[in-house]
Amino acid sequence: STQSTWVESDMQVADGRTLTALFLVRDIRTSFKKDLDWAVVSEILDPRTSTLIRGTGWTDIVMSHDSTSQLIAMVAENRIVNSIIKEILQVEGNEIYIRPITHFILAGIEASFWDIQVKVRLKCKGVLLGYLEKDSTHPLINPIGKDNPRIWEHGDRLIILAEDEV
């Protein structure tokens, strides 16, 4: 219909502007002599644009309507989830932090997930949700084998739920 064509066209125009800004910011970022440790996150509306961007290997985009749909589905399955999501998403209160393992132990140390959880709890009263292995973009949330020791490398990052800055 004409209405859906108009909405589709608006999404493509908005995505075009977003991509232009994303390319400009990425170009500025790469012009710095040193590597900057920050991401540029962009909201994309059209799933086709998302597919195009993901083909470039960029992972720092957000499909807000997908995220919203997933949140609604979780709440529909269990209403208590709504208060948990509100707690995590509000400005004050608990937040999710990604922190280097070296904030808690020395790199090269062998320890289990539970050992690291104790360190996190003592240092910041947080909860260890999972971790990202060195150079990985795929988080291991609630990993299996929490009792098994592993060697934590420089570059491993922890995913922590805490009320205060970790």
Side-chain angles (χ1 to χ4, degrees):
S1 76
T2 306
Q3 178 69 20
S4 65
T5 304
W6 178 76
V7 169
E8 193 172 292
S9 174
D10 275 359
M11 287 190 328
Q12 289 172 345
V13 168
D15 283 355
R17 289 182 180 147
T18 299
L19 287 177
T20 300
L22 179 63
F23 287 130
L24 286 171
V25 171
R26 283 183 171 270
D27 187 50
I28 292 167
R29 180 178 159 182
T30 57
S31 69
F32 284 95
K33 299 285 186 224
K34 62 180 183 175
D35 186 31
L36 300 175
D37 187 24
W38 47 272
V40 178
V41 180
S42 304
E43 178 184 22
I44 300 299
L45 303 174
D46 189 336
R48 293 172 296 187
T49 306
S50 172
T51 303
L52 176 69
I53 291 173
R54 291 194 198 285
T56 67
W58 292 354
T59 58
D60 44 0
I61 62 165
V62 174
M63 294 286 299
S64 61
H65 62 279
D66 285 351
S67 300
T68 303
S69 298
Q70 291 168 354
L71 290 172
I72 291 171
M74 285 192 297
V75 170
E77 285 181 23
N78 186 341
R79 293 235 179 249
I80 296 170
V81 171
N82 188 43
S83 59
I84 296 167
I85 292 169
K86 279 183 182 178
E87 171 66 25
I88 292 172
L89 295 179
Q90 69 184 356
V91 176
E92 297 296 323
N94 288 292
E95 296 180 41
I96 297 174
Y97 297 95
I98 310 293
R99 293 296 178 258
I101 186 68
T102 53
H103 280 197
F104 301 93
I105 63 168
L106 295 172
I109 298 288
E110 185 177 63
S112 72
F113 183 89
W114 292 126
D115 295 332
I116 304 301
Q117 167 56 49
V118 169
K119 302 274 187 190
V120 168
R121 189 74 182 157
L122 290 173
K123 186 168 184 175
C124 66
K125 299 179 184 166
V127 176
L128 181 60
L129 300 176
Y131 60 92
L132 290 133
E133 293 178 326
K134 179 181 178 180
D135 300 324
S136 176
T137 57
H138 301 291
L140 297 164
I141 304 292
N142 192 24
I144 58 171
K146 292 180 189 71
D147 292 327
N148 302 334
R150 68 181 289 270
I151 296 181
W152 296 88
E153 297 182 37
H154 184 75
D156 287 346
R157 293 158 292 161
L158 303 178
I159 304 164
I160 300 166
L161 179 68
E163 188 166 349
D164 298 318
E165 179 74 25
V166 177

